[in-house]
Amino acid sequence: MAFASAYAEGGIPLPHQSANQPRGINVGLGVGGLSPSGSSCNGMGVWQGMAEYFYTERISAGWAIKMYGGNLDQEYALIYQRYHIHGRIHFPMSETFGFYISPIIGFETTDLSKIRKSQDDNTSATSGNSDKLAQCSDEYSLNGFSAGIDVGMGWKFATNWGFISGLNYDQNSSPVSQFSFTGGIAYNLRNSFDFLEKNFLGTWLSLELVVHHYWGTDITSWGKSLMLGINLSI
């Protein structure tokens, strides 16, 4: 184990409610809100979960789910689910800094074709309004299979505080791609409670801001989401 003291104090936090650990199970949960990039789209609730297994301190693999729920626009409600599987190569550079590189494969179960067809056939709206409504379904354009890469880093700048950031690129099977940037802070709850210290390798509470942009759609603006999450290293 390269940096035993860092793991003893809870490890190094990473994006998407994750953290470095020498071996074992890593579980993350997050809730928050999404401000879509479509100009006429309503804000929506976001929930995400992640589970991965560390085979060693340098190799882990797992899966993640993200769900959006709420009113898509003034006409449609939506629950959108997207799944990812990943394999990460970790680079713990010191007791306070580490990063990873990860290929990702994604898919989803939400069929937006009915919504898009209804919007295309909506002749009662003006052309400008129809374009704005179509952007709401374009916000969820990663439908079907996708593949990409995820890069993340964590820096523990104090005993119980860390900074996290990451970049993600997802290329869909259709000619649509998504780029996102994550930045946030994390606090190590483990060192504040005896129960957590005895039962978990790490327990990080994090606040993350994610901004994203689509290529291959009519959307020109950036969307953003704010997530409050917790990580449990077992």
Side-chain angles (χ1 to χ4, degrees), residues 125-180:
T126 65
S127 176
N129 287 337
S130 296
D131 290 341
K132 288 183 178 180
L133 288 174
Q135 288 185 0
C136 292
S137 57
D138 285 344
E139 169 68 32
Y140 312 97
S141 294
L142 292 180
N143 54 351
F145 176 83
S146 69
I149 189 167
D150 179 38
V151 179
M153 58 82 67
W155 171 45
K156 189 162 65 173
F157 59 84
T159 302
N160 292 322
W161 289 94
F163 171 77
I164 51 182
S165 67
L167 297 173
N168 181 283
Y169 179 79
D170 228 342
Q171 177 64 52
N172 202 50
S173 52
S174 62
V176 175
S177 60
Q178 184 197 63
F179 171 81
S180 63

Side-chain angles (χ1 to χ4, degrees), residues 21-202:
Q21 67 183 78
R23 191 179 180 90
I25 299 172
N26 203 329
V27 178
L29 295 172
V31 294
L34 168 72
S35 177
S37 49
S39 59
S40 66
C41 306
N42 296 330
M44 304 185 75
V46 183
W47 175 90
Q48 66 183 28
M50 182 277 300
E52 65 180 333
Y53 182 78
F54 275 74
Y55 298 92
T56 71
E57 64 178 342
R58 295 187 179 274
I59 299 176
S60 69
W63 63 273
I65 178 175
K66 178 176 286 188
M67 298 178 65
Y68 304 116
N71 293 322
L72 181 65
D73 50 37
Q74 63 265 40
E75 295 186 29
Y76 299 101
L78 172 72
I79 295 179
Y80 175 83
Q81 306 170 64
R82 184 143 193 91
Y83 304 86
H84 279 101
I85 57 175
H86 65 261
R88 292 176 177 172
I89 302 175
H90 296 266
F91 300 88
M93 306 303 293
S94 70
E95 294 183 358
T96 59
F97 177 79
F99 70 95
Y100 68 82
I101 300 174
S102 171
I104 54 175
I105 296 175
F107 58 96
E108 52 80 43
T109 60
T110 306
D111 185 3
L112 299 179
S113 59
K114 183 177 180 180
I115 294 177
R116 292 193 176 103
K117 185 177 186 303
S118 297
Q119 291 173 345
D120 291 340
D121 294 342
N122 185 7
T123 57
S124 62
T126 65
S127 176
N129 287 337
S130 296
D131 290 341
K132 288 183 178 180
L133 288 174
Q135 288 185 0
C136 292
S137 57
D138 285 344
E139 169 68 32
Y140 312 97
S141 294
L142 292 180
N143 54 351
F145 176 83
S146 69
I149 189 167
D150 179 38
V151 179
M153 58 82 67
W155 171 45
K156 189 162 65 173
F157 59 84
T159 302
N160 292 322
W161 289 94
F163 171 77
I164 51 182
S165 67
L167 297 173
N168 181 283
Y169 179 79
D170 228 342
Q171 177 64 52
N172 202 50
S173 52
S174 62
V176 175
S177 60
Q178 184 197 63
F179 171 81
S180 63
F181 169 78
T182 301
I185 58 173
Y187 177 75
N188 187 6
L189 291 173
R190 178 184 179 274
N191 295 338
S192 301
F193 299 93
D194 291 339
F195 172 79
L196 297 177
E197 191 171 349
K198 292 177 181 178
N199 293 279
F200 296 96
L201 296 173

Side-chain angles (χ1 to χ4, degrees), residues 5-25:
S5 61
Y7 294 121
E9 295 178 355
I12 301 171
L14 294 171
H16 318 306
Q17 294 84 50
S18 184
N20 280 110
Q21 67 183 78
R23 191 179 180 90
I25 299 172

